[in-house]
Amino acid sequence: MNNPVTAPTPIATTVSAPVPTRVQRLLSLDVVRGITIAFMIMVNNNGGPGSWRFMNHASWNGLTPTDLVFPTFVFVVGVSVVFAFDARLARGATRARLAWHTVQRAVVLFLLGIVVNSFPFFQLQHMRFYGVLQRIAVCYLVVGLFYLWDNRASTKVVALVVALVGYWILVRWVPIPGVGTPGRDVPFMDMTQNLVSWIDRLVFPHHLYLYAPDHNVRDPEGLLSDLPAIGTALLGVLTGLWLRSDKPASFKANGLAVVALSSLALGYFWALWFPLNKNMWTSSFVLVAAGYSLAVLAFAFWAIEVRGWRKGWTWVWLVFGSNAIAAYMFSELLPGVLDNVTVPDGPGRHAALNVVLFAHIFAHIPNPHWAAFAYSVSFTAVCFIPVWILYRKKIFLKV
């Protein structure tokens, strides 16, 4: 009789569910965002005609430090898309849910931009629909959905080249209806007679930034110039992909510096044929502005992530950067209050609160440049208060 064969005892195995990789937050990126929003508040409230030239935009072609603020913020939005989206995907969010949230956030940003433009009177007859937050909304929507659909760097490079070269071709060689061909029938990049302004006057007549009765002019955040602005955001996405790579931190910092110099060189070279112009957001301007943005980020990344210099100097910028949109909204709505609240200003006289404050405080500074700068710094300090309160209470407003 054969002995029964005993079945082997099954070995218990435990299969662990994959743990999502935690996406590390870049303190240096938050610092750059904070520096950018603080300088944006300063130049938007620069103290008036007495302010230094670098605190004002170039009148048309050319570049000042003020012209770099807005594109730097758009660039940072692109970098942030990579880190924010990867973090949420790692926590289990679906791409469909992220796409829906991206659309919602873009709509809210766009509507907030209209509020900023229209406060406090909201006159529909000439309400401006373009604007800073509106452009950020468009760039965020496009690059956000693009990144969710395809997160490869190669596709972003192709899209960047198409956006910048395509915009150059449109502005340089497409005839302007009723005007003619740029460079032949009208000066190339004429201040009012260009394809960008023509489209804006066609789409939103009497709703532009520069508008006078019976005379539409142009808008610095117009429809067609959203195309190269998206290129700015794409450069931010490419930078985010580089910073999310597994390469050593010091190697990443060096890479940022090299690309910054390359972008500056290419941008200034292109400017020989396509001038630097923030109002039209020219392709050369995209590259030059991105070069300076990369340089600032490279320094912050080297100082904070490589050298570990995290305490002290970063605090103010972290406070601003943690609630950047809230800080911007407050800084844009506050002048509407100061300009429309009247207070006594001598016997039988009343004036706007803003005018009275400047006349009785800052105008006593003998040098008008320093007087304007003191006003600008003081205004920015006032805007720091609400975001500091939010920061202390660990409240971070997300659109």
Side-chain angles (χ1 to χ4, degrees), residues 386-398:
V387 291
W388 171 65
I389 293 172
L390 292 173
Y391 187 84
R392 286 198 61 185
K393 294 182 177 293
K394 300 186 185 305
I395 299 173
F396 306 105
L397 301 180
K398 303 294 182 183

Side-chain angles (χ1 to χ4, degrees), residues 173-316:
W173 284 285
V174 173
I176 305 164
V179 177
T181 303
R184 187 188 67 187
D185 305 309
V186 65
F188 176 48
M189 288 182 58
D190 182 82
M191 189 174 290
T192 57
Q193 299 299 334
N194 58 74
L195 187 64
V196 178
S197 298
W198 180 85
I199 291 175
D200 292 336
R201 290 193 292 267
L202 179 68
V203 175
F204 286 122
H206 312 296
H207 293 274
L208 305 181
Y209 179 77
L210 289 177
Y211 165 79
D214 302 322
H215 181 56
N216 283 297
V217 184
R218 56 186 170 83
D219 198 295
E221 281 83 44
L223 183 62
L224 185 60
S225 56
D226 278 336
L227 181 62
I230 291 169
T232 299
L234 286 171
L235 283 164
V237 171
L238 288 167
T239 302
L241 289 170
W242 171 253
L243 294 175
R244 282 277 290 122
S245 67
D246 295 329
K247 294 177 174 57
S250 58
F251 188 77
K252 291 179 184 178
N254 292 334
L256 290 176
V258 170
V259 177
L261 292 173
S262 302
S263 186
L264 286 169
L266 181 58
Y268 277 116
F269 182 69
W270 200 350
L272 297 175
W273 298 274
F274 199 12
L276 301 174
N277 189 301
K278 186 262 180 189
N279 284 273
M280 290 183 65
W281 211 283
T282 56
S283 303
S284 58
F285 171 74
V286 169
L287 294 175
V288 170
Y292 286 116
S293 301
L294 281 161
V296 173
L297 180 57
F299 173 77
F301 186 87
W302 173 81
I304 296 171
E305 316 297 344
V306 178
R307 302 295 298 175
W309 300 342
R310 294 170 174 260
K311 295 183 179 180
W313 72 281
T314 62
W315 178 73
V316 172

Side-chain angles (χ1 to χ4, degrees), residues 40 43-44 46 51-71 132 209 220-221 278-279 281 285:
M40 182 182 288
V43 299
N44 287 349
N46 60 11
S51 55
W52 282 300
R53 180 180 177 274
F54 75 84
M55 294 290 287
N56 293 270
H57 292 290
S59 57
W60 191 240
N61 291 339
L63 192 70
T64 73
T66 295
D67 294 317
L68 300 173
V69 178
F70 188 15
V132 171
Y209 179 77
E221 281 83 44
K278 186 262 180 189
N279 284 273
W281 211 283
F285 171 74

Side-chain angles (χ1 to χ4, degrees), residues 115-123 332-344 350-357 375:
V115 170
V116 166
N117 291 346
S118 307
F119 183 83
F121 300 113
F122 297 91
Q123 296 176 343
E332 290 294 298
L333 298 180
L334 181 57
V337 175
L338 297 177
D339 290 338
N340 290 281
V341 173
T342 58
V343 295
H350 287 77
L353 179 56
N354 212 17
V355 174
V356 172
L357 287 173
Y375 173 87

